[in-house]
Amino acid sequence: MLESLGVQGIQLIIQLVLARLLMPKDFGIIALITIFINLSNILLQRGFTSALIQNKDVDEVDFSIVFFISVAGSCLLYLILFFSAPYIADFYKAMELSIVLRVLAISLPFSAVNSVQIAFVSRNMQFRKLFFSSIGAIVCSGTIGIVMALGNFEVWALVSQQISYVILNCFFMAKVVKWRPKMLFSTKKAAGLFSFGWKMLLTALIDAIYIDIYTIVIGKLFSTQMLGYFNRGKQFPAVIVTSLNGSIQAVMFPAFSRVQDNKLKLKSMMRRSIVTSSFIVFPIMAGLAAAANPMVKLILTDKWLYSVPFIQIYCAYFALYPIHTANLQAISATGRSDINLKLEIIKKSIGIIILIITIPHGIFSIAIGGVVTSLISLVINSYPNIKLLGYPIHEQIVDILPSFLLSIAMGMVVYSIMLFELPIGMTLIIQVLVGAIFYFGAARLLKFECLSYVLKMAGFTYRNPSKKQKEDMI
């Protein structure tokens, strides 16, 4: 969690500084380019690396296989992006995209190497090493981006920040992670990894393409400036939730995989994950939505005010993320990657239909349609766990309902503070303090079990738990 929150937190600060120095159009250009970089990284990382973590028995041969396949694939993808860059730029009627894509794609081979390093760290639960490497890389790359922005390099400041992060993180990880590839290969082992990994890969690819469709549609039908507002509004809740969710997910998948044969234990762990993450994420999203206006004015200035409605809409969208993740991770941990693939096809088909319906009604309707899709997807994701774990959606709703209702009440209290028309800085500070006191005070008064659990976990961490306590906590 420290690694994820630290990296995302520093990244958010860097992005806020860059947002004050650069224009929304610059961020819109990067958003369009990032589509193709993200899809390439998913092709390189999500299939085989997921198999490395999920499989009970892996050795040096497995890691070396994934390493060489990933590096070779990254070089091939770079060539594809290099030669297709002019056509992509022509599609968006923005010729500057061509050179930007060609330069940013240089990061792909480094991302491929880094994905295997992260898989090794995740499988062996060595997250301390990931923490130091990631923090060092984000601080150095952020400094590079800000210096270039001050030098009026515009969009190239963002390019430099992103590409330097990937390269530095790869080298820092090589310093702290002792694993090195060996000249080993086994066709049988590669086939075994592929049998699980291809479904996870296709699942992640479908999900990424669906998410990127929003960027493609907005960039094509509206403008790069509007896309900048949209992505900036989406980024605030996304950074917070993906940081928390990512840290939970990094431990959840290998932990779930260890008890995949014990359905009762797996259900108990999944329930604990949903209840705890919802208790943390719901109030943050409610508070962020309520304080979005003064926050944007204070941090980003008035030129970004058009992003406020997007922040509020996507707070509702990302609030559900931990519940989606817990359901899907439990399914994957049991080895049923085929179910995940089927779920993605169903969900994304419904999402595309909703997107088509909302496009004629404007960009805000598109964003709201995403929230509707997420609610429907929540029901779909939970359905297989009725049979697999005996944990249906109505039980999950009962588990998260107390945190949800308390978060809504807190959000209303936080929003009402703006009625006093105090200075922006004072308003934001009071909103944060009142929101935190109200939520945790009410949770303690109502004797929320998840509050006791969170405090207990924090207490264990502070006292440096013994080996047995760590095992009990897992």
Side-chain angles (χ1 to χ4, degrees):
M1 184 172 291
L2 283 174
E3 184 273 333
S4 185
L5 287 174
V7 171
Q8 295 291 343
I10 296 172
Q11 172 73 353
L12 179 59
I13 294 171
I14 292 168
Q15 290 294 308
L16 294 178
V17 174
L18 292 173
R20 295 179 70 94
L21 298 172
L22 304 174
M23 299 303 294
K25 181 181 178 181
D26 297 323
F27 288 90
I29 291 173
I30 288 297
L32 293 174
I33 296 299
T34 303
I35 294 173
F36 304 97
I37 301 299
N38 286 344
L39 289 177
S40 299
N41 281 326
I42 287 171
L43 287 171
L44 295 172
Q45 300 173 16
R46 293 301 291 273
F48 282 110
T49 53
S50 295
L52 285 177
I53 299 173
Q54 191 275 337
N55 200 320
K56 285 185 175 181
D57 302 305
V58 296
D59 53 25
E60 288 289 338
V61 179
D62 296 283
F63 277 96
S64 296
I65 289 171
V66 174
F67 175 84
F68 290 117
I69 291 176
S70 298
V71 172
S74 68
C75 295
L76 177 61
L77 285 170
Y78 177 78
L79 291 175
I80 293 172
L81 290 178
F82 184 90
F83 289 108
S84 61
Y87 301 101
I88 295 171
D90 184 61
F91 175 78
Y92 287 109
K93 307 300 180 185
M95 296 314 298
E96 67 266 32
L97 293 183
S98 180
I99 183 64
V100 173
L101 177 56
R102 285 174 170 177
V103 172
L104 196 54
I106 294 173
S107 65
L108 290 178
F110 297 94
S111 293
V113 175
N114 191 230
S115 69
V116 182
Q117 295 170 324
I118 292 174
F120 183 87
V121 166
S122 298
R123 181 172 180 85
N124 293 284
M125 297 286 192
Q126 298 174 352
F127 295 105
R128 181 187 295 270
K129 295 178 179 180
L130 184 60
F131 169 74
F132 288 113
S133 300
S134 300
I135 293 295
I138 194 63
V139 170
C140 294
S141 64
T143 303
I144 292 171
I146 292 172
V147 169
M148 292 193 68
L150 290 170
N152 296 320
F153 282 91
E154 299 178 338
V155 70
W156 291 105
L158 297 172
V159 173
S160 300
Q161 192 265 323
Q162 291 192 19
I163 196 171
S164 60
Y165 171 73
V166 176
I167 294 173
L168 288 170
N169 197 25
C170 181
F171 280 109
F172 289 162
M173 285 286 283
K175 289 288 186 180
V176 297
V177 177
K178 300 306 180 183
W179 176 84
R180 295 292 185 271
K182 298 179 179 179
M183 298 302 294
L184 301 170
F185 197 87
S186 167
T187 305
K188 182 179 180 180
K189 281 182 171 290
L193 291 168
F194 183 75
S195 65
F196 175 85
W198 78 267
K199 304 183 193 75
M200 295 293 290
L201 168 61
L202 192 54
T203 299
L205 199 59
I206 292 172
D207 185 52
I209 291 173
Y210 170 74
I211 293 172
D212 288 336
I213 283 176
Y214 282 78
T215 302
I216 294 171
V217 168
I218 295 170
K220 181 66 176 177
L221 299 183
F222 297 91
S223 65
T224 53
Q225 182 175 6
M226 185 58 69
L227 180 58
Y229 290 129
F230 178 87
N231 273 16
R232 180 61 57 228
K234 184 178 179 181
Q235 184 190 35
F236 277 100
V239 165
I240 297 170
V241 174
T242 53
S243 298
L244 292 168
N245 195 50
S247 60
I248 294 170
Q249 183 176 343
V251 179
M252 189 190 305
F253 187 36
F256 280 7
S257 297
R258 290 180 180 181
V259 297
Q260 59 185 276
D261 298 324
N262 187 339
K263 305 302 181 184
L264 188 62
K265 179 67 173 176
L266 184 53
K267 176 185 176 181
S268 175
M269 293 172 68
M270 177 185 166
R271 179 182 178 274
R272 173 63 68 192
S273 174
I274 287 177
V275 172
T276 305
S277 58
S278 297
F279 177 77
I280 297 171
V281 171
F282 282 173
I284 295 175
M285 291 297 98
L288 180 59
N293 192 284
M295 181 190 69
V296 169
K297 284 184 178 180
L298 182 66
I299 298 176
L300 297 179
T301 71
D302 289 353
K303 70 179 179 182
W304 287 97
L305 274 178
Y306 209 74
S307 64
V308 169
F310 296 118
I311 294 175
Q312 294 168 334
I313 292 170
Y314 273 98
C315 280
Y317 177 89
F318 282 104
L320 302 174
Y321 245 52
I323 309 170
H324 288 292
T325 299
N327 278 281
L328 294 175
Q329 293 284 55
I331 296 169
S332 297
T334 60
R336 297 303 305 271
S337 57
D338 58 314
I339 294 179
N340 265 346
L341 177 57
K342 292 175 184 177
L343 294 179
E344 286 304 308
I345 294 173
I346 295 171
K347 291 182 298 184
K348 272 38 183 186
S349 298
I350 294 172
I352 293 297
I353 294 172
I354 293 176
L355 176 61
I356 293 172
I357 293 172
T358 56
I359 285 175
H361 302 287
I363 190 170
F364 293 111
S365 296
I366 292 174
I368 293 172
V371 178
V372 174
T373 302
S374 183
L375 288 169
I376 297 172
S377 298
L378 184 61
V379 178
I380 296 172
N381 284 337
S382 65
Y383 183 76
N385 284 317
I386 297 175
K387 182 177 180 180
L388 292 176
L389 302 177
Y391 194 21
I393 184 63
H394 68 268
E395 286 188 21
Q396 296 181 32
I397 292 173
V398 170
D399 286 336
I400 66 174
L401 192 59
S403 296
F404 174 77
L405 294 177
L406 183 56
S407 298
I408 295 297
M410 184 214 70
M412 295 172 65
V413 171
V414 170
Y415 186 82
S416 67
I417 294 172
M418 289 193 296
L419 300 177
F420 293 98
E421 298 183 353
L422 299 170
I424 296 174
M426 186 180 296
T427 299
L428 192 58
I429 292 172
I430 293 174
Q431 284 180 315
V432 172
L433 292 176
V434 170
I437 293 171
F438 179 90
Y439 185 79
F440 288 105
R444 186 174 182 84
L445 184 64
L446 296 172
K447 298 181 180 179
F448 276 28
E449 186 268 343
C450 44
L451 174 61
S452 301
Y453 177 76
V454 170
L455 294 175
K456 182 180 178 181
M457 290 289 289
F460 271 145
T461 303
Y462 178 76
R463 291 195 301 268
N464 191 15
S466 65
K467 182 178 180 181
K468 183 174 188 310
Q469 286 176 325
K470 289 180 180 178
E471 292 173 352
D472 290 341
M473 287 158 64
I474 293 174

